[in-house]
Amino acid sequence: MAKPLPFEEAAPAERAESEPALFVDVDGFEGPLDLLLELARRQKVDLHRISILALAEQYLVFIEEARRMRLELAADYLVMAAWLAYLKSRLLLPEPPKGEEPSAEELATALALRLRRLEAIREAAKKLGERTWLGRDIFARGAPEPVVIRKDARYEASLYDLLKAYAHQRQIKLNSKVSLHKRTVWSLVDAREALERLVGHLSDWVTLDTYLVEYMVEPAMRPTVLASALSATLEMVREGKLTVRQDEAFAPVWVKPVADAAEAGA
Amino acid sequence: MEEAVDMTETAENSRIPDHGEAMRIAEALLFASAEPLGAEELAGRLPEGADVEKILEDLTGLYAPRGVNLVRVAGKWAFRTASDLSFVLARDVVEQRKLSRAAMETLAIIAYHQPVTRAEIEEIRGVATSKGTLDLLLETSWIRLRGRRKVPGRPVTYGTTPQFLEHFGLDAIEDLPGLEELKGAGFLEGRVPSDLSVPVPSDDDALRPDEDPLDHDDLFQPLEMDQSGTGEE
Amino acid sequence: MEEAVDMTETAENSRIPDHGEAMRIAEALLFASAEPLGAEELAGRLPEGADVEKILEDLTGLYAPRGVNLVRVAGKWAFRTASDLSFVLARDVVEQRKLSRAAMETLAIIAYHQPVTRAEIEEIRGVATSKGTLDLLLETSWIRLRGRRKVPGRPVTYGTTPQFLEHFGLDAIEDLPGLEELKGAGFLEGRVPSDLSVPVPSDDDALRPDEDPLDHDDLFQPLEMDQSGTGEE
């Protein structure tokens, strides 16, 4: 809403009993056009034959009244008042010789047309509202029986996979007696790439651990993954790309992309 | 269902023994679903050769006098309680959120004038539209962002959704009440005379020539700033 | 369309003026309710003096031949899809799934070493095999239960099926490559332990001398307890 208008008189406004026809309650209106429409209805004539001049006068009286009562008026109402005051003066003055501007008559007609259009859409809105609403007047099945999706799993495996698995298994089993497992390490570069990729999709705090689970192919890799990811995270924090948080010792580590960094990329 | 195996026989009319069975299946599918089902969707689930149109016609007739009717909504089919029984059922409604007059009017303008921009809505109503109204309507999923108008500032265009049709029990957007009157009075014409303006609402997914698709991130970011700051509602 | 006639005619009691209307209301209430409704609950919503028992009886009869039936559940009433049509509410989706490495290894061992018991599989793999893995392989129908090994505990023996051959494009199980072929094709690399041997597999249906036939109820009961409890998968 617009700021209260400056008033010169400090005296409290009183509702004049002598003006019963006009109730000043701007809250009930959906803007100046709505107010004009209501005033037009009081002319009790067809909107096609409405006197825009009379309407403009009534509107200005209304606004005056509202100001006198120190009602807060939105800027829209005041703009309309100014425009109507202008229109009124044009309508009262003799029409100047054909200028570039539209004539006062044309302006009045355009306003009448706008009022009729608002009235028409309002009528349509009313009809729409009076239709049977789903969930109010008519109802769908209360206990729908959803379609059960039976998943028929079809397993895929090639002979190549089969032989590879067999050969690998047999060889590993026998070799394991003599050789050590090769230590797999998750490199810092891998961790950084993964984090940057993942963090790109996020806007809120996420625990580091949830990221990492995806990479936990083998339990043995857990320490290296954790260590590399944490150091990568810290580096990204240093670069201002991430915020990191840990609520207490041994609690999950939360990360969140820095908003500016994300927006800059958008 | 043994007869269903015989596929050489195509159901041309209801005399085919499968028709009754196909009707039962269609009934079960439509009854079970809370969402309307399309004729093609149904056809895919019915025995081969079933005459979907005939089945739907027969079911509509069969249920017309009953407490539950088969109706067409948003181009699809659904069972709904008979509208004349709302007085008994309305008691079940748990305080439905009422739309404010501003929201209802905005919805109507979007429905009748779609695709329409926020500025156009405001022009018709003669008042700023608070962001809350559009948000609320988007939340009901009755309106959607369609695209962006090809004018300076590329404002977002709004339109209605199939859920809108479903909610108000409309088969198509052309069934909007009072549409003919509005059209006849010329109120659906564009404000600015333009070759591009088509004086009928369209909720077609296809964008109008004066619409651009939404930007990739429109759905994830604030769409427009609330430039007025003096929302009326 | 014989049913149509039955449906429009509301049973014998249509002489009572309100009975038909009360039936329509009951229909709508039952349709729209998320929970089954009790007779008393219904009575409370029906027009004064309506004969609930008769209405429910008539509705049950009316819907009995249809795709949706009025049924009693837990002493209350609800519409449900006709039980013979439950198949229409299920949709089959074929989902391509990849076997886990553990399953793949287990399968390979069963293929090469059949008939093989679970303990033997575990011995070859060096890790416990979870019950889930074997169940999953049984589900693929690539492996089967062959019999029971004549040893204490009579463990089940596993072997492959004709579907296994079909899936892997093998003409016979003997076509699985042997040690030399595996080496030649590069499956075995580097230092191949001298004690590595690859058996010549056989999926012959005939039981081996050390196998007993399966017990009668092996197919209906849990075959073995998951003794490990710490399956590695």
Side-chain angles (χ1 to χ4, degrees), chain B residues 1 14 19-21 23-25 27-29 31-32 45 54 58-59 61-69 79-82 84-85 87-92, chain C residues 1 3-5 7-8 10 20-21 23-25 27-29 31-32 44-45 59 62-69 79 81-82 84-85 87-91:
Chain B
M1 278 306 296
S14 57
H19 188 69
E21 191 61 14
M23 269 180 77
R24 290 184 72 235
I25 296 174
E27 236 175 346
L29 287 168
F31 237 85
R45 318 278 297 276
K54 179 89 180 101
D58 287 352
L59 282 176
L62 188 64
Y63 281 92
R66 308 240 37 96
V68 171
N69 306 148
F79 274 115
R80 296 283 184 256
T81 58
D84 66 313
L85 297 179
F87 72 99
V88 229
L89 294 158
R91 234 180 299 171
D92 282 342
Chain C
M1 280 315 304
E3 296 94 333
V5 185
M7 290 286 282
T8 45
T10 50
E21 194 58 16
M23 271 179 77
R24 291 184 72 233
I25 295 172
E27 247 174 338
L29 287 168
F31 173 82
R45 312 284 295 274
L59 281 177
L62 188 64
Y63 280 92
R66 311 237 36 94
V68 169
N69 305 150
F79 277 118
T81 305
D84 67 316
L85 294 180
F87 71 94
V88 302
L89 294 181
R91 202 175 304 181

Side-chain angles (χ1 to χ4, degrees), chain A residues 3-229:
Chain A
K3 287 185 197 108
L5 294 163
F7 285 95
E8 287 158 21
E9 294 169 82
E14 270 174 42
R15 181 77 180 260
E17 289 294 323
S18 57
E19 293 169 43
L22 196 68
F23 64 94
V24 178
D25 177 12
V26 83
D27 285 344
F29 293 101
E30 296 279 348
L33 272 191
D34 187 32
L35 173 55
L36 276 173
L37 206 53
E38 175 58 29
L39 292 171
R41 276 203 203 94
R42 287 192 206 159
Q43 288 194 11
K44 292 196 172 102
V45 287
D46 187 327
L47 267 184
H48 286 87
R49 295 188 290 125
I50 192 94
S51 160
I52 291 293
L53 184 58
L55 197 58
E57 274 166 359
Q58 285 174 44
Y59 184 91
L60 293 171
V61 168
F62 181 97
I63 295 298
E64 267 315 305
E65 179 72 1
R67 293 180 63 148
R68 199 174 67 74
M69 292 178 64
R70 307 178 63 194
L71 290 178
E72 288 181 20
L73 283 182
D76 287 332
Y77 289 89
L78 303 177
V79 170
M80 178 60 88
W83 191 80
L84 285 175
Y86 162 76
L87 182 63
K88 186 181 147 190
S89 68
R90 290 268 317 257
L91 284 168
L92 290 173
L93 288 171
E95 195 65 30
K98 187 84 183 137
E100 281 162 29
E101 283 182 48
S103 71
E105 248 352 285
E106 280 165 357
L107 292 175
T109 310
L111 178 61
L113 203 73
R114 283 190 72 185
L115 289 175
R116 291 217 307 276
R117 190 177 61 186
L118 179 63
E119 168 116 286
I121 197 74
R122 202 159 266 185
E123 192 56 36
K126 197 166 146 252
K127 281 185 191 154
L128 192 62
E130 283 165 358
R131 283 192 67 84
T132 53
W133 289 33
L134 181 66
R136 186 186 74 183
D137 307 305
I138 63 169
F139 296 83
R141 178 83 182 268
E145 299 168 72
V147 169
V148 177
I149 308 278
R150 273 193 309 237
K151 284 199 181 133
D152 184 12
R154 187 152 306 161
Y155 289 94
E156 255 180 298
S158 67
L159 186 60
Y160 174 82
D161 294 332
L162 184 80
L163 298 178
K164 205 169 130 230
Y166 184 70
H168 176 78
Q169 179 57 40
R170 294 297 313 258
Q171 198 168 22
I172 286 289
K173 177 66 174 29
L174 293 167
N175 283 350
S176 66
K177 291 171 184 165
V178 288
S179 65
L180 288 168
H181 274 289
K182 197 180 159 203
R183 219 175 131 232
T184 327
V185 177
W186 215 43
S187 76
L188 192 75
V189 176
D190 290 343
R192 267 200 73 130
E193 276 179 6
L195 276 172
E196 278 172 13
R197 194 167 54 241
L198 285 164
V199 166
H201 301 297
L202 299 157
S203 60
D204 210 350
W205 289 101
V206 173
T207 54
L208 190 60
D209 297 0
T210 58
Y211 289 161
L212 296 175
V213 167
E214 286 192 36
Y215 293 86
M216 291 303 174
V217 184
E218 289 168 290
M221 281 179 72
R222 198 179 170 89
T224 164
V225 167
L226 268 175
S228 297

Side-chain angles (χ1 to χ4, degrees), chain C residues 131-172:
Chain C
K131 181 87 168 55
T133 303
L134 287 167
D135 282 348
L136 184 114
L137 289 172
L138 283 167
E139 196 190 305
T140 63
S141 63
W142 294 337
I143 69 164
R144 66 191 176 96
L145 312 172
R146 286 177 51 88
R148 287 182 176 278
R149 181 68 49 79
K150 286 177 186 165
V151 292
R154 302 182 66 247
V156 169
T157 53
Y158 294 92
T160 56
T161 62
Q163 286 96 311
F164 171 85
L165 296 178
E166 199 183 312
H167 184 90
F168 290 97
L170 297 167
D171 191 25

Side-chain angles (χ1 to χ4, degrees), chain C residues 14-223:
Chain C
S14 52
R15 265 162 283 122
I16 299 183
D18 280 343
H19 189 67
E21 194 58 16
M23 271 179 77
R24 291 184 72 233
I25 295 172
E27 247 174 338
L29 287 168
L30 288 161
F31 173 82
S33 173
E35 310 283 327
L37 291 177
E40 324 72 51
E41 274 171 281
L42 271 170
R45 312 284 295 274
L46 291 175
E48 193 89 13
D51 182 347
V52 185
E53 291 307 325
K54 180 79 183 120
I55 285 166
L56 288 167
E57 190 191 317
D58 287 353
L59 281 177
T60 308
L62 188 64
Y63 280 92
R66 311 237 36 94
V68 169
N69 305 150
L70 184 62
V71 295
R72 251 185 107 97
V73 266
K76 300 189 168 194
W77 296 86
F79 277 118
R80 289 281 184 265
T81 305
S83 53
D84 67 316
L85 294 180
S86 58
F87 71 94
V88 302
L89 294 181
R91 202 175 304 181
D92 293 323
V93 177
V94 174
E95 207 185 32
Q96 294 285 2
R97 262 191 246 171
K98 273 194 91 106
L99 284 188
S100 70
R101 208 179 78 181
M104 204 66 212
E105 282 172 15
T106 307
L107 176 64
I109 290 164
I110 293 171
Y112 273 95
H113 297 259
Q114 62 186 306
V116 66
T117 65
R118 178 164 160 181
E120 289 158 2
I121 295 168
E122 290 179 349
E123 217 257 274
I124 294 167
R125 290 191 64 216
V127 282
T129 298
S130 80
K131 181 87 168 55
T133 303
L134 287 167
D135 282 348
L136 184 114
L137 289 172
L138 283 167
E139 196 190 305
T140 63
S141 63
W142 294 337
I143 69 164
R144 66 191 176 96
L145 312 172
R146 286 177 51 88
R148 287 182 176 278
R149 181 68 49 79
K150 286 177 186 165
V151 292
R154 302 182 66 247
V156 169
T157 53
Y158 294 92
T160 56
T161 62
Q163 286 96 311
F164 171 85
L165 296 178
E166 199 183 312
H167 184 90
F168 290 97
L170 297 167
D171 191 25
I173 200 71
E174 294 79 14
D175 290 349
L176 279 174
L179 179 64
E180 287 311 312
E181 288 162 295
L182 284 174
K183 232 190 280 184
F187 286 108
L188 290 166
E189 286 172 57
R191 194 168 53 82
V192 176
S194 54
D195 54 349
L196 175 65
S197 67
V198 171
V200 179
S202 156
D203 60 357
D204 198 339
D205 274 347
L207 294 175
R208 296 276 172 89
D210 64 349
E211 282 179 298
D212 271 341
L214 288 170
D215 297 335
H216 175 69
D217 51 1
D218 276 344
L219 296 169
F220 308 103
Q221 286 190 2
L223 289 156

Side-chain angles (χ1 to χ4, degrees), chain B residues 119-161:
Chain B
E120 288 159 1
I121 297 168
E122 294 181 347
E123 215 254 78
I124 294 170
R125 297 191 61 227
V127 71
T129 302
S130 79
K131 190 76 175 57
T133 304
L134 287 169
D135 279 353
L136 181 99
L137 289 173
L138 283 166
E139 199 190 309
T140 61
S141 64
W142 295 339
I143 69 165
R144 66 189 176 97
L145 312 173
R146 286 178 50 90
R148 288 182 177 275
R149 180 70 49 80
K150 286 178 185 164
V151 292
R154 303 182 68 244
V156 168
T157 52
Y158 294 92
T160 56
T161 62

